[in-house]
């Protein structure tokens, strides 16, 4: 069951459809609230929205996806729908995000940054358990990302010409 109702959509300050714009807007929102821009590496995002008055944010993707944060060696799973309430340096009431610890998948409910921007980022579970990591483990170098995107476009163009 979706947490994003028609009423929430109607009250959205911002709402976008399509992977390209949603990728940009989600990274911008994370940066705007003081969180690292690589925190939500979702794929094939269909819709994203933000209700500024309450801080409610949602992201819908075609399928759930797994992502390994190489710098800390953690595997994280993102559901088809990820929702949260954002405020400066904090995400609360997070749904749709799990982290693998040993052999178990554990839900995350809160993420916050201490002493931004060079501080530590803490991930909490509904049971109150937490882990802290360096913020740098979740940041994306946007210049390198743009180069990667341009290289992918060039490679696709070369493939089309060869066919």
């Amino acid at each position: 069951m979706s947490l994003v109702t028609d009423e929430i959509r109607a009250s959205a300050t911002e709402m976008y459809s399509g992977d390209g714009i949603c990728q940009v807007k989600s990274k911008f929102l994370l940066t705007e609230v003081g969180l690292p821009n690589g925190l939500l590496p979702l794929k094939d995002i269909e819709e994203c929205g933000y209700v500024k008055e309450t801080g409610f944010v949602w992201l819908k993707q075609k399928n759930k996806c797994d992502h390994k944060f190489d710098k800390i060696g953690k595997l994280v799973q993102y559901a088809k729908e990820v929702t949260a309430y954002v405020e400066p340096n904090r995400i609360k009431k997070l749904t749709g995000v799990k982290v693998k610890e040993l052999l178990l998948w554990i839900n995350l409910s809160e993420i916050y940054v201490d002493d931004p921007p060079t501080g530590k980022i803490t991930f909490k579970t509904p049971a109150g358990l937490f882990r802290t990591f360096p913020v740098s483990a979740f940041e994306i170098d946007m210049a390198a990302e743009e180069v990667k995107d341009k290289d992918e476009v060039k490679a696709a163009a070369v493939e089309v010409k060869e066919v």
Side-chain angles (χ1 to χ4, degrees):
M1 184 175 137
S2 176
L3 293 175
V4 182
T5 63
D6 290 336
E7 184 178 316
I8 290 173
R9 277 191 182 88
S11 65
T13 311
E14 298 178 36
M15 194 169 100
Y16 304 96
S17 296
D19 186 55
I21 188 71
C22 289
Q23 291 287 348
V24 171
K25 290 298 182 177
S26 64
K27 286 174 181 55
F28 177 76
L29 177 65
L30 287 169
T31 305
E32 190 175 74
V33 296
L35 296 167
N37 60 359
L39 202 54
L40 297 170
L42 304 181
K43 299 175 183 160
D44 296 326
I45 303 174
E46 294 179 324
E47 179 181 284
C48 64
Y50 178 43
V51 181
K52 196 165 192 157
E53 297 81 43
T54 61
F56 184 73
V57 174
W58 74 91
L59 298 143
K60 288 186 176 186
Q61 55 184 351
K62 289 182 183 176
N63 300 300
K64 69 179 183 178
C65 69
D66 294 344
H67 178 80
K68 184 172 184 180
F69 288 97
D70 292 327
K71 292 181 182 176
I72 59 168
K74 291 290 177 191
L75 187 61
V76 179
Q77 185 176 80
Y78 298 91
K80 288 175 100 174
E81 182 177 275
V82 175
T83 66
Y85 288 87
V86 296
E87 57 187 48
N89 305 316
R90 182 177 300 270
I91 292 177
K92 302 185 305 183
K93 298 181 182 179
L94 179 65
T95 67
V97 181
K98 296 179 182 182
V99 64
K100 191 165 190 177
E101 286 290 333
L102 298 174
L103 300 173
L104 301 173
W105 285 100
I106 300 170
N107 288 316
L108 293 178
S109 61
E110 188 173 348
I111 303 170
Y112 59 91
V113 173
D114 292 324
D115 189 31
T118 59
K120 302 284 185 182
I121 187 166
T122 302
F123 298 84
K124 282 180 75 174
T125 69
L129 302 172
F130 65 91
R131 286 268 183 135
T132 302
F133 301 99
V135 169
S136 61
F138 302 93
E139 291 176 337
I140 297 173
D141 179 11
M142 293 309 284
E145 193 73 13
E146 284 181 28
V147 168
K148 180 182 160 191
D149 290 345
K150 287 179 183 176
D151 288 345
E152 288 175 2
V153 169
K154 287 178 186 175
V158 169
E159 285 180 28
V160 169
K161 286 180 183 178
E162 288 177 357
V163 173

